[in-house]
Every structure is written in structure tokens, then in C-alpha cells.
Amino acid sequence: MTEIVPLAEPHFAGLRDALDSVAREQRYLAFTQAPPWEECLVFYRDIVTHDRSHFVALVDGAVVGWCDVLPSHGQARAHVGTLGIGLVTAARHRGLGKTLMLAALGKAWAQGLTRIELTVRADNLNAKALYERMGFQAEGLQLRAFRVDGAYHDLITMALLR
Ligand SMILES: CC(C)(COP(=O)(O)OP(=O)(O)OC[C@H]1O[C@@H](n2cnc3c(N)ncnc32)[C@H](O)[C@@H]1OP(=O)(O)O)[C@@H](O)C(=O)NCCC(=O)NCCS
């Protein structure tokens, strides 16, 4: 059974494992491994306490992915959220990315955000195509914004306005 549910304490360990697995692919995220458990715990608890837009995808109760829209710093950016998403390899190409995004975007809009932004590696065509299907528009290119094992990668910045 597949479910999309708001992040809650019982998902924390599974979410960190999912993040770690996507991070270790070294092709998509700024992380190349998950942060230490204690750091994740503080971060996840803050999300739950503040009722942030953060959803996990569960397959038979196990976390296989997430999508979040987290707030920006500064009063002038209070209307802006930053979107992050990831699915473990086995959960991709089944429509879960779109479903997760719809849940996270819906809650972000309901909480009053009017701009949602993200960055995506220029060679991450699957993610970029999903963002475009969801209406995100490319705004620019950050040259050499990632460096993994000595290799530089450019990031495309994208945003969705409401
Ligand atoms: C980016 C990512 C979240 C997209 O998730 P996804 O579930 O694969 O994306 P979608 O839901 O849009 O589905 C993509 C594919 O599944 C197909 N699909 C969509 N709904 C489907 C369904 N109900 N049944 C079967 N296939 C479906 C789509 O047609 C699409 O096919 P394509 O890849 O051949 O074009 C996922 O690939 C991922 O986690 N990647 C690694 C981490 C990452 O890149 N994160 C983003 C960093 S910026």
C-alpha cells in the first residue's frame, strides 16, 4: 500500500535512511550522505513542531521518499519557500514524485506562501521535467554550484509563483 502522509516522529529513522540512500548516489543532492542522527532529529522535530509542509511517501509503512517546502529567513522573504524532494531508486517513475509535490505545494500555498523556489542540477533531467510539468519556470543558472569528487556541476534555479 502506498501513502503520502505528513512527517511524524515514527518516520524519522526511515526518512534519514531514504535521504542517505539518495545522497549517496552523489548525483542529485547537496548532501552526499545524511547528516548525523542527532542533527536530523532536531531538524525533523522542528518541522513537526511548526507544522511545516513536509510529506513522506510510505510503501507498506516504509519511507521511500519525501517532499518539503521549507521557509526562508528574513521578513522580506516570509512569502518564499524552498522545495526539496527525493525518492529511493525503487520508488521512481511511478508517479510518486508528482503526488508528493502536489501534497507539499498544496500545504505551502494554504499556509500563505506565494513563491516556491528550488535548485536542480542541470544534468538531472528527470527532476527538471517533473518541475516543468508542475509549472516551475527556470530563472537562471548557478555555475559550478556543486562540486562532487572534484567535478563541478551547474544548478538551474526554478520558481513557481502564485
Ligand atoms: C525527481 C524525482 C523525485 C521524480 O520522481 P518520479 O516519481 O520519478 O517522477 P514522476 O512522478 O514525475 O514520474 C516520472 C516518470 O514516471 C511516469 N509516471 C508518472 N505517473 C505514473 C504512474 N501513475 N504510473 C506509472 N508511471 C508513471 C512519468 O510518465 C514519468 O516517466 P518518464 O520518467 O519516463 O518521463 C525522482 O526521480 C528522484 O527522487 N530523483 C532523485 C532525487 C532527486 O533528483 N531529487 C531532486 C533534486 S533537485
Side-chain angles (χ1 to χ4, degrees), residues 88-103:
V88 300
T89 49
R92 293 174 196 162
H93 307 293
R94 288 161 35 180
L96 273 178
K98 180 181 176 186
T99 316
L100 270 169
M101 274 186 85
L102 285 173

Side-chain angles (χ1 to χ4, degrees), residues 1-5 56-64 91 94 96:
M1 185 181 59
T2 303
E3 298 166 275
I4 306 289
V5 296
V56 288
L58 307 177
V59 172
D60 298 331
V63 177
V64 297
R94 288 161 35 180
L96 273 178

Side-chain angles (χ1 to χ4, degrees), residues 6-15 37 41 44 48 56 58 61-63:
L7 178 65
E9 188 107 17
H11 310 132
F12 289 177
L15 174 59
W37 169 243
L41 199 56
Y44 297 155
V48 171
V56 288
L58 307 177
V63 177

Side-chain angles (χ1 to χ4, degrees), residues 135-153:
F136 280 78
Q137 290 197 337
E139 294 186 327
L141 193 61
Q142 297 179 6
L143 298 175
R144 293 191 179 185
F146 276 12
R147 187 171 64 184
V148 182
D149 284 341
Y152 290 108
H153 302 277

Side-chain angles (χ1 to χ4, degrees), residues 27-157:
R27 293 187 53 202
Y28 306 114
L29 307 181
F31 290 106
T32 54
Q33 62 183 66
W37 169 243
E38 288 302 325
E39 217 174 285
C40 288
L41 199 56
V42 170
F43 183 69
Y44 297 155
R45 282 198 173 135
D46 182 76
I47 286 170
V48 171
T49 303
H50 293 95
D51 193 29
R52 307 288 189 213
S53 176
H54 190 307
F55 291 83
V56 288
L58 307 177
V59 172
D60 298 331
V63 177
V64 297
W66 73 91
C67 183
D68 55 29
V69 179
L70 299 179
S72 312
H73 295 294
Q75 289 79 8
R77 283 181 52 82
H79 63 295
V80 180
T82 302
L83 185 138
I85 187 169
L87 288 165
V88 300
T89 49
R92 293 174 196 162
H93 307 293
R94 288 161 35 180
L96 273 178
K98 180 181 176 186
T99 316
L100 270 169
M101 274 186 85
L102 285 173
L105 290 172
K107 184 161 176 176
W109 298 139
Q111 289 182 334
L113 296 188
T114 57
R115 172 184 164 88
I116 296 177
E117 54 191 30
L118 60 84
T119 55
V120 57
R121 240 172 76 163
D123 60 352
N124 189 353
L125 301 181
N126 194 43
K128 185 165 174 276
L130 172 61
Y131 301 146
E132 282 169 349
R133 287 202 295 279
M134 301 297 289
F136 280 78
Q137 290 197 337
E139 294 186 327
L141 193 61
Q142 297 179 6
L143 298 175
R144 293 191 179 185
F146 276 12
R147 187 171 64 184
V148 182
D149 284 341
Y152 290 108
H153 302 277
D154 301 338
L155 289 184
I156 298 168
T157 63

